[in-house]
Amino acid sequence: MSKHMITAEVVSQSRITEDIFSLVLKAAEIAKEAVPGQFVSLFSGDASRLLPRPISLCEINKNKGTLRLVYRIAGKGTKEFSAYKAGDTVQVMGPLGNGFQTECKSPILMGGGIGIPPMLELSKCLAEQGIDKKHLHVILGYRDSAFLADEFKKHATVHITSDSGLVGRKGNVVDCVREENLTGDMIYACGPTPMLRAIKRYAYENDIPAQLSLEEHMACGIGACLACVCKTAEVDEHFKVNTRRVCKDGPVFYAEEVEL
Amino acid sequence: MSKHMITAEVVSQSRITEDIFSLVLKAAEIAKEAVPGQFVSLFSGDASRLLPRPISLCEINKNKGTLRLVYRIAGKGTKEFSAYKAGDTVQVMGPLGNGFQTECKSPILMGGGIGIPPMLELSKCLAEQGIDKKHLHVILGYRDSAFLADEFKKHATVHITSDSGLVGRKGNVVDCVREENLTGDMIYACGPTPMLRAIKRYAYENDIPAQLSLEEHMACGIGACLACVCKTAEVDEHFKVNTRRVCKDGPVFYAEEVEL
Amino acid sequence: MIDTSVTICGVTMKNPVTVASGTFGSGMEYDEFVDVSRLGAVTTKGVALTPWEGNPTPRIAETYGGMMNAVGLQNPGIEEFLKTDIEFLKKKDTKIIVNVCGHSEEEYVGVVERLQDEPVDLLEINVSCPNVKEGGIAFGVDPKALEHITSQVKQKAKQPIIMKLSPNVTDITEMARAAVAGGADALSLINTLTGMKIDIHRRAFAVANRTGGVSGPAIKPIAVRMVYQVCHAVDVPVIGMGGIASAEDAIEFIMAGATAVSVGTANFRNPFATAEVIDGIEAFMKEQGIRSLDEIRKIL
Amino acid sequence: MIDTSVTICGVTMKNPVTVASGTFGSGMEYDEFVDVSRLGAVTTKGVALTPWEGNPTPRIAETYGGMMNAVGLQNPGIEEFLKTDIEFLKKKDTKIIVNVCGHSEEEYVGVVERLQDEPVDLLEINVSCPNVKEGGIAFGVDPKALEHITSQVKQKAKQPIIMKLSPNVTDITEMARAAVAGGADALSLINTLTGMKIDIHRRAFAVANRTGGVSGPAIKPIAVRMVYQVCHAVDVPVIGMGGIASAEDAIEFIMAGATAVSVGTANFRNPFATAEVIDGIEAFMKEQGIRSLDEIRKIL
Ligand SMILES: Cc1cc2nc3c(=O)[nH]c(=O)nc-3n(C[C@H](O)[C@H](O)[C@H](O)COP(=O)(O)OP(=O)(O)OC[C@H]3O[C@@H](n4cnc5c(N)ncnc54)[C@H](O)[C@@H]3O)c2cc1C
Ligand SMILES: Cc1cc2nc3c(=O)[nH]c(=O)nc-3n(C[C@H](O)[C@H](O)[C@H](O)COP(=O)(O)OP(=O)(O)OC[C@H]3O[C@@H](n4cnc5c(N)ncnc54)[C@H](O)[C@@H]3O)c2cc1C
Ligand SMILES: Cc1cc2nc3c(=O)[nH]c(=O)nc-3n(C[C@H](O)[C@H](O)[C@H](O)COP(=O)(O)O)c2cc1C
Ligand SMILES: Cc1cc2nc3c(=O)[nH]c(=O)nc-3n(C[C@H](O)[C@H](O)[C@H](O)COP(=O)(O)O)c2cc1C
Ligand code: FES
Ligand code: FES
């Protein structure tokens, strides 16, 4: 698995909610090697913004050599990206991070907010592995309006929740998994830290292994600068302290590995 | 004469030599008030480059509301401009500076290198004022390849010189004016400082008034920061020292006003 | 009701926004773009007792995300300044902060004395210009010299005095304490960071003075840090500056503890910058339900 | 024939390009992008006697034209470092500069002693990290403390020692002289400038440590100025750094007087930066007919 830094062409971009965009990039070298749960670093075209913007892979199309990224406008960098049009180019580094381990039979995928996009590629991979729709549960948590939900429905059983109750049932993804009494042999989750914390607890209580995708501010994106560490339960083998790098050792960790 | 800061659309851009470009901008407010010898500040679209790039007006089309700028790639800013295409936009401030005083009967215009572009609008204005081609002498000095020369020929008597002798006669514009024994009642000049210095001497020797367009690095471009001063013979009325501002009091000065 | 006004040493500015000395002239030139009366205050370019030539050109160079200047405090001297600049400003509905420079303690004191009965609200004493050999920076990096000149100026000043601090020091709080010990009524910071740029193709310094003062967005994090440190070390109002180009930047300085803020280098890129900062602060207050800037000042 | 090599304290680097400590790990991760053997030297991240946790996250924030970090010198301690990092580096055709940190003089000395017989070419002593409370910056801003720690380290070091200077001082030449008086064989500068960033929407510091070190192109003019001053004040070789992202930047530092240069923050934006700087220096030399970097070093 080697990393690439390439100039990628924008294939298409569309706005899918008020502030969420879907960007498809031609990035064959990266797509070829990428797995679900990995991310790329996008670099701003404006030289006053130096650092990479890490964005998860929402879809990987190995045939077409394209990557789909779904992102929310959070600041100036993502704002800039949202103005890109087909034919524009952007510097992209990837694939980065470890990705999800996909061995399982009855997975429960939980995505909260802008943690939902990486769940799409994952669910497609799991479906391709032969997991039946009725054993492939996806719980999506929104603030108040849904996005991407329909795209999961082809191959997964989708449960929708929202904080406001405006779409799906009112509540969060953990409320949902509890209420639905869903069981499985692997939890995959990505979303805000409080959500991951609740999922970690749920997984522990129900004795289900859980893979959590974390976020941290990054500089190098490849493991060299130690900017992006998370707290771990155990002392790291090389670092000799209780931290691991989100960009390289993660972003996906088993729940018991990390302290949230 | 008021100044504007506008977002101008690129009408067209063409490359006229290896490293010289011609850019036409839609900037009606500025075109409306501009006179030959004035300049505009172009701002980089990249936020790491803060300061304006002063560029002289090569042509002013008041009907179409357009400005033509002819510039050489000198660094990163002009390099960026050279990639602009029709439909792109750029921040422009102008019109800036004083411009040439056009009262004269038999002018000699001298442009050296990238000092040639402002001479084009000036010569057109003088021609429009009714000065006959045979009394309107334009001497253009190049390094080794010519540009814009043909555009002067319609309304002016053009003399071409080059350092290398590859185009026109070998030598500089002052050699030329001396050899041709040209006389007139006003010299207008723009070009590198050594050239302006020689022209100042020639003008003095021959008792011809001369208007010289100077260059200096700028920050505000409007007279507020005192970055762009030139040395003057007399103490400035307000500044009480021997300097004047190229951006506001100039860029055009009478030869006897400035020390070069 | 949103109240954007702030009070510095008894002088009430209708909003916290002024300009960084030397970047705005006395406002005449920018008046074509922003109505100078909209500003909380205008801080003038530095003025000395007699006319100063300033440095040779090039006086400025661009740097990454900022610029470097070595203008060298060119100014027409106090008499012409009063005739032209103050004459212009006193017709505007804005407070007037005069930035004072000198080659010697006597020159600073001379300017301050001359201003005693003029329509000037505050005096900003620039002891931190890195671009003039005598005076300027010398006072700005030595706490004893700073305390001494502050007390000299304070004795003669009729208006409150703001000492403008240099960031080119090991411990900015030591300088702040020295200025306050000398009698400073307020502080302003930061002045420029001393820098150098070499044009490798010409094999020459980019500004004739060799070194220049770095300003602009590039230096903002250093300025915010120093403003924060000073606001937590001494008890006088602080005017914060260094790279402010937007309302967000201004609010960052206010949260760090600044009472007012100055827009400097940003004017060169965007002549509407001051007005945009003023409008943006008001919009932010509205959005967040902040009635007075006291609610967010020094909240960290 | 163009010779890009430079010699620092008897150690010949095949080209003047190394990396800024902490921005390149020990090269393992960047080896996927640039062959580490192409570098004149690799400067490792800081290493202490025992493992350090480093600071809480967020440890970094972007600033205009630069960044701020408060990693806090997380490191696995010298033993693991030798096993993993030096083991990796010694197989590469590049010189090894180990960056040393400590909480106390004893810890610095301990690391240096432990490295005596290891395959390490030069030691860079980081007395200028603004992000750890004890040690680090304390030694870096007080000339007496700097001279003392330098002499302590020098006594035990078998390799030449490079003292890494902090830019957060009033007079960098005073610090340079102190280090040289203490026995420094070479100097490197600049470390980061202390900065602060506030997230006004969250009303929180952008990095958990409150302050962080500012690096990147934004600080280059300050770095060039200090390198120039130091190279004209003392007679030991200097490794210049601070915002170098291109060959032009590197040559600017060399013209200011630096013997070698480090690429730091630029690696984060462009993982090929080191290789591009190396190639660009060679291209510049060719174009200008420069046979050795001695011809352009300190020409101003
Ligand atoms: C592994 C990973 C995967 C991610 N995947 C996605 C995704 O698929 N879709 C999506 O919308 N967002 C995702 N994010 C968050 C995304 O990186 C930030 O929203 C984005 O960097 C903000 O950049 P900005 O310039 O718009 O904001 P600004 O606030 O202007 O950014 C300033 C700096 O802070 C960093 N930063 C700001 N917010 C974050 C954050 N939440 N995480 C890490 N760095 C941050 C930026 O990278 C930049 O360096 C992911 C983050 C990580 C770490
Ligand atoms: C009144 C005036 C009119 C001009 N008209 C023209 C013109 O019509 N065509 C043309 O090609 N050039 C003209 N120039 C020169 C032009 O401004 C510079 O070539 C341009 O600013 C270089 O920018 P850059 O980013 O490419 O170079 P860089 O070297 O990267 O620029 C860095 C900084 O230095 C400044 N700078 C660099 N060279 C000059 C210079 N010669 N004069 C002033 N500032 C400079 C830039 O504005 C910028 O702030 C004019 C200059 C002045 C003062
Ligand atoms: C061109 C220029 C001229 C300046 N002249 C003065 C001056 O006369 N007196 C002074 O105290 N500061 C002067 N300064 C410093 C600014 O007032 C301000 O402290 C500094 O630029 C930082 O703010 P900024 O980053 O917003 O520009 C000058 C700065 C610039 C860029
Ligand atoms: C993320 C990061 C980590 C750093 N860690 C160290 C370190 O461990 N030891 C050290 O001496 N300097 C450290 N530095 C400072 C750099 O080595 C360098 O002095 C500084 O960043 C300026 O160079 P630059 O602008 O090219 O990055 C670090 C800088 C950064 C950005
Ligand atoms: S971002 Fe550098 S180690 Fe993760
Ligand atoms: S550029 Fe500011 S006065 Fe001319």
Side-chain angles (χ1 to χ4, degrees), chain A residues 136-207:
Chain A
L136 209 172
H137 286 275
V138 173
I139 312 177
L140 305 175
Y142 297 97
R143 240 180 273 167
D144 39 40
S145 61
F147 58 90
L148 290 185
D150 291 342
E151 304 189 40
F152 283 92
K153 289 182 181 162
K154 294 163 216 155
H155 51 270
T157 306
V158 179
H159 310 259
I160 294 176
T161 71
S162 66
D163 299 340
S164 60
L166 281 175
V167 290
R169 71 173 75 192
K170 193 171 161 69
N172 61 41
V173 294
V174 185
D175 298 337
C176 174
V177 79
R178 282 188 201 279
E179 286 164 29
E180 293 271 349
N181 221 338
L182 295 178
T183 49
D185 65 351
M186 183 68 78
I187 290 175
Y188 296 96
C190 185
T193 307
M195 169 185 136
L196 296 182
R197 207 176 284 135
I199 291 174
K200 182 178 169 170
R201 195 167 41 235
Y202 178 81
Y204 177 79
E205 287 164 10
N206 293 275
D207 204 21

Side-chain angles (χ1 to χ4, degrees), chain B residues 33-61:
Chain B
E33 304 180 23
V35 300
Q38 287 191 303
F39 66 97
V40 290
S41 278
L42 286 196
F43 289 86
S44 170
D46 187 301
S48 72
R49 290 189 282 277
L50 297 180
L51 296 181
R53 272 61 184 167
I55 306 285
S56 298
L57 300 175
C58 171
E59 288 190 79
I60 305 162
N61 190 322

